[in-house]
Amino acid sequence: MREPVIGIDLGTTNSAVASVEEGRPRVIPSRAGGRLTPSVVGLTPKTGERVVGGKAQALAEEHPECVVWATKRFIGRRFTPELLQAAKAVVPYQLVGGNTGDVRVKMAGRTVPVTQVSAMILGELKLDAEAHFGRPVNKCVITVPANFDDGQRQATREAATIAGLDAIRLINEPTAAALAYGLSRGFQGHALVFDLGGGTFDVTVLEITDGVYEVKATGGDPALGGEDFDLKIVEWLLAQVEDSHRELVHRDAVSMRKLKVAAEQAKRELTEYEETLISLAGLGDHTQGGWKLTGLETALTRDFFEQLIAPLSKRCLDVCASVMQEARMDPRSVDTVLLVGGMTRVPLIRRLVADFFGKAPSTDVNPDEAVALGAAIHADELARQSGAALLLDVVGNSLSVGVLGGRVRRLINKNSSVPVVAKELFYPGSHGQTEARISIYQGESDLQDENRKLGEVVLRNLQGTSRTDTPLEVTFELSNEGILSVRAADLKTGLSEAVRLEARPHLPGQEAERLVKEQAAYAQKQAREDAQKTEDKFRKLLERGDKLAKLLQQSAKENPGEQAEAAVTNVQSLLDSGRAALESGDAEQCAQVARQLNQLLSGR
């Protein structure tokens, strides 16, 4: 049997893992029983034991200082005062810088690299997949936001390596969603993917024809997502706290966590109802043993919520307008609009999208699962090398070289098709210069300070006496995954140097190796515990299967026929196979029988 290959949506708020089974993409349920895993990680206060997902959310109720979430916003970013200031408005936990400039979080008194936090989430999804298949799972496709830069993509790969996964491809989230939609619905034409997730917003226009997915334009806002919409409710709730307690509540981590959870719950309820009641107790300074605690009772209507989030909603439409302009298309010429991300369930968002594009958006695909399903489809395509779908993606952001005067010269324009190679000649800034530092920038501005610096290529031992005697050829090569390689060469001497992204944060080699070993030890321990739980669940499943077999036998007696007899034979065969696998300790066979029995029992 071919080795399982999985698709992973590593999300800001929730993550999911999926696979293609019997020709159909399916979300793999977590070992905890859900279809989504909250992207929340914690360390228990006394033992430092890691908890991920729902367990981490539960830990946050009593020990918010031991839990972090929405760390995807910081992965692959360089720690700067500006980033720190922006983070304070979104998350309560502390960010610190690592030795190489990477971002780290304070959690339960420990300093943990953001890359490791992502690795913990990926490791949990890997364990879910292995429990599902009853065998090791190593290869995967991971989705990333379309506007992720080289550093963020490389950091995602680094997290996968720490988690023991071989990321055979990174694929943009909107493209993955369109892949799931296109293959499952047989769609042809222009599709727009409106992807409003927990932390980022992406818009992508694709032309889908006979299995070819060609991206026409893509854009987004890396600092706009469900977390920001929640924050609007939190700010409103905080303003209603009594004046004498407001500052205490604002400084208290437990209280702010209560407001955050209440805001998320209110947002969900307003998707279905016109009004929601919010009742909170125990707000105040918990560091003083519950001294001076207060409560809050209020109601939030859908109309007022929509007023609160109107500025954020307008930012979504501004991005849509920009992307349509870059695609040189009228919004109403889009054939279908696909909603992705939990925030797209908000009625205001759906109304605005419908008004802007002149048609109701598609709701056929679960917005929380579409990205993972698309990743699974692409993973299956790569594993089988079937060529059923061809992805033609584009550059999410322009790539440039810094030049004199604080400006940049663009080598690769935004929305250029990938893979792409671009070359251009440059000259040293002064005569007799022996070293050239060629800075690489990402962004749409003509000014260096308004773009993001990705790194540098350093050429030493230049020998020309005049600037014009030293032509330097700079080559940008961008892969179809958005990974950037840069090379600079002195054409006079033949001296060349590959990119050294000194500005790109990364984990030191020894620390990365230690984290890999730490993750492997955790996975082995967890797998042993899971094996016993899985066996117990499987025995109970066989008992349910026995009941189903008896019901089918009774039905076959009352209504005899070939179909009824075949149903009895099928279930009995599965039960016999399951008991034999249990007796021989064949975990993979047990998992296969479990999947088939669950489908029968659920009527799918």
Side-chain angles (χ1 to χ4, degrees), residues 5-121:
V5 183
I6 55 175
I8 293 177
D9 172 14
L10 181 60
T12 304
T13 304
N14 293 297
S15 295
V17 56
S19 67
V20 173
E21 299 170 37
E22 299 175 356
R24 292 182 56 193
R26 302 176 188 273
V27 170
I28 295 174
S30 72
R31 301 179 329 281
R35 294 174 67 81
L36 302 175
T37 297
S39 301
V40 185
V41 171
L43 298 173
T44 55
K46 293 182 180 179
T47 63
E49 179 185 356
R50 79 169 65 174
V51 286
V52 180
K55 290 182 179 178
Q57 286 181 321
L59 178 65
E61 298 301 321
E62 297 294 330
H63 300 283
E65 76 284 358
C66 297
V67 176
V68 296
W69 63 92
T71 55
K72 180 178 174 179
R73 282 190 160 182
F74 313 119
I75 190 170
R77 302 284 300 276
R78 187 168 183 81
F79 183 81
T80 63
E82 294 78 14
L83 178 66
L84 181 61
Q85 193 61 37
K88 285 181 179 179
V90 183
V91 296
Y93 50 80
Q94 185 181 354
L95 301 186
V96 296
N99 293 335
T100 61
D102 64 306
V103 180
R104 305 189 173 213
V105 292
K106 285 280 191 178
M107 174 169 50
R110 281 180 54 185
T111 300
V112 180
V114 167
T115 308
Q116 186 187 6
V117 174
S118 290
M120 290 177 177
I121 298 168

Side-chain angles (χ1 to χ4, degrees), residues 8-13 71-75 142-150 152-154 156 170-176 195-204 218-224 340 371 393-397 442 452 481-482:
I8 293 177
D9 172 14
L10 181 60
T12 304
T13 304
T71 55
K72 180 178 174 179
R73 282 190 160 182
F74 313 119
I75 190 170
I142 302 177
T143 62
V144 293
N147 54 31
F148 255 27
D149 64 28
D150 179 71
Q152 292 167 304
R153 291 169 190 265
Q154 295 284 20
T156 302
L170 299 184
I171 180 175
N172 289 341
E173 290 166 0
T175 307
D195 185 355
L196 185 57
T200 58
F201 175 51
D202 284 320
V203 175
T204 299
T218 190
D221 189 332
L224 178 61
V340 179
V371 171
D393 224 320
V394 298
V395 182
N397 300 275
Q442 169 190 280
R452 181 181 296 178
E481 298 180 38

Side-chain angles (χ1 to χ4, degrees), residues 11 23 49 53 61 69 88 108 163 174 178 198 208 210 241 276 301 314 338 362 364 423 476 505 510 556 571 583 602:
E49 179 185 356
E61 298 301 321
W69 63 92
K88 285 181 179 179
I208 305 172
D210 297 328
V241 175
T276 181
T301 65
K314 182 181 181 301
L338 173 62
S362 168
D364 294 340
K423 297 181 180 181
F476 280 12
Q510 288 185 342
V571 173
E583 184 69 26
S602 63

Side-chain angles (χ1 to χ4, degrees), residues 239-304:
Q240 296 186 71
V241 175
E242 300 171 21
D243 292 346
S244 58
H245 288 81
R246 189 175 302 130
E247 187 58 33
L248 291 175
V249 171
H250 192 217
R251 292 199 310 261
D252 183 70
V254 173
S255 298
M256 291 303 291
R257 176 66 185 173
K258 288 177 181 283
L259 293 180
K260 174 73 164 60
V261 171
E264 289 179 352
Q265 183 62 31
K267 180 181 68 178
R268 291 192 185 96
E269 290 186 2
L270 290 174
T271 298
E272 300 293 333
Y273 307 105
E274 294 293 332
E275 183 179 67
T276 181
L277 300 178
I278 301 172
S279 178
L280 291 169
L283 300 175
D285 187 357
H286 287 78
T287 63
Q288 303 295 324
W291 178 66
K292 283 190 176 181
L293 296 182
T294 187
L296 178 63
E297 298 277 344
T298 189
L300 178 60
T301 65
R302 182 186 289 179
D303 285 344
F304 189 69

Side-chain angles (χ1 to χ4, degrees), residues 156-178:
T156 302
R157 280 193 172 278
E158 191 172 39
T161 300
I162 292 171
L165 287 165
D166 175 14
I168 57 177
R169 182 69 56 85
L170 299 184
I171 180 175
N172 289 341
E173 290 166 0
T175 307

Side-chain angles (χ1 to χ4, degrees), residues 13 22 44 90 119 124 136 146 237 274 289 293 298 310 343 359 382 416 423 434 443 446 484 498 520 547 565 588 595:
T13 304
E22 299 175 356
T44 55
V90 183
E124 207 66 21
L237 290 173
E274 294 293 332
L293 296 182
T298 189
M343 271 302 301
K359 57 180 61 65
L382 292 174
S416 299
K423 297 181 180 181
T434 59
D446 291 330
L484 177 65
K547 293 178 181 178
E565 197 63 42
E588 185 176 356
R595 293 196 298 273

Side-chain angles (χ1 to χ4, degrees), residues 176-198:
L179 189 61
Y181 177 77
L183 290 190
S184 63
R185 303 288 298 177
F187 173 81
Q188 306 250 13
H190 285 97
L192 182 132
V193 181
F194 184 100
D195 185 355
L196 185 57

